[in-house]
Amino acid sequence: MADVTLWNTVWNRPYHHYESHHQIFWNKIKEKSTGKILDLGCGSASCWRGFGVDLTGIDYSESAIREAGKNTEGRFLLGDVENVPLQETFDTVVLSGVINYYRDLNKIKSELKRLSKNLILITINVIKDFPDREWNEERIHQEFDDLGSVKIEFVPKVGYLIEVVR
């Protein structure tokens, strides 16, 4: 589970590029996503509003799950991205703005391997998360090459969009 102290600290400070994140990454995620989609850490699922996809969302915030159900059609479940309460597989798995909050990604990567058939889309926001971990292309390859073929796009002041083809 994410470090709750870190989660609360990060979400209690201003995120200056939130609109850029919406406009750039969420549009790209929607363009690339196909088939059955699983959004891990879906939050309010506002990025999927009006998009009309076969969507399942997981979040450990009860209020986020309630909001997701109001924002778009789909199946939204309370759960932890390190131990997803599903057995089926998905064509596209999305983790948007989730990775920053986890020091050890092994459990998440295990779930990604189990749940994804074709494509994994990951965004990493440009924020200081852990003092001993800076995100760059080398670090991204170290973390995600074992999942499939990795393509990285960097948007200055916003972050990384990582596309993993299985």
Side-chain angles (χ1 to χ4, degrees), residues 77-91:
L77 306 168
L78 194 61
D80 183 350
V81 299
E82 292 182 319
N83 187 19
V84 178
L86 298 169
Q87 296 307 311
E88 71 240 61
T89 57
F90 295 83
D91 299 300

Side-chain angles (χ1 to χ4, degrees), residues 113-166:
K113 288 176 186 175
R114 181 176 71 82
L115 295 163
S116 65
K117 286 194 269 187
N118 303 321
L119 179 64
I120 302 166
L121 298 170
I122 301 167
T123 67
I124 299 176
N125 304 331
V126 174
I127 60 172
K128 300 289 184 196
D129 46 18
F130 296 105
D132 59 343
R133 182 178 70 184
E134 294 292 324
W135 289 102
N136 56 41
E137 288 195 22
E138 180 182 348
R139 181 64 187 233
I140 289 167
H141 280 292
Q142 287 174 347
E143 291 287 0
F144 301 113
D145 276 355
D146 62 331
L147 296 176
S149 175
V150 174
K151 178 181 172 188
I152 302 168
E153 180 179 346
F154 179 71
V155 177
K157 298 183 180 179
V158 179
Y160 293 93
L161 174 64
I162 303 152
E163 185 175 345
V164 181
V165 178
R166 307 252 318 142

Side-chain angles (χ1 to χ4, degrees), residues 39-101:
D39 188 345
L40 295 174
C42 66
S44 66
S46 58
C47 75
W48 301 106
R49 187 179 296 133
F51 196 57
V53 295
D54 183 357
L55 177 65
T56 299
I58 302 289
D59 203 285
Y60 66 67
S61 166
E62 289 183 39
S63 61
I65 294 298
R66 281 193 300 275
E67 286 302 308
K70 294 175 189 174
N71 282 330
T72 191
E73 290 187 26
R75 175 176 60 151
F76 301 102
L77 306 168
L78 194 61
D80 183 350
V81 299
E82 292 182 319
N83 187 19
V84 178
L86 298 169
Q87 296 307 311
E88 71 240 61
T89 57
F90 295 83
D91 299 300
T92 305
V93 178
V94 175
L95 286 126
S96 184
V98 173
I99 294 298
N100 290 85
Y101 306 104

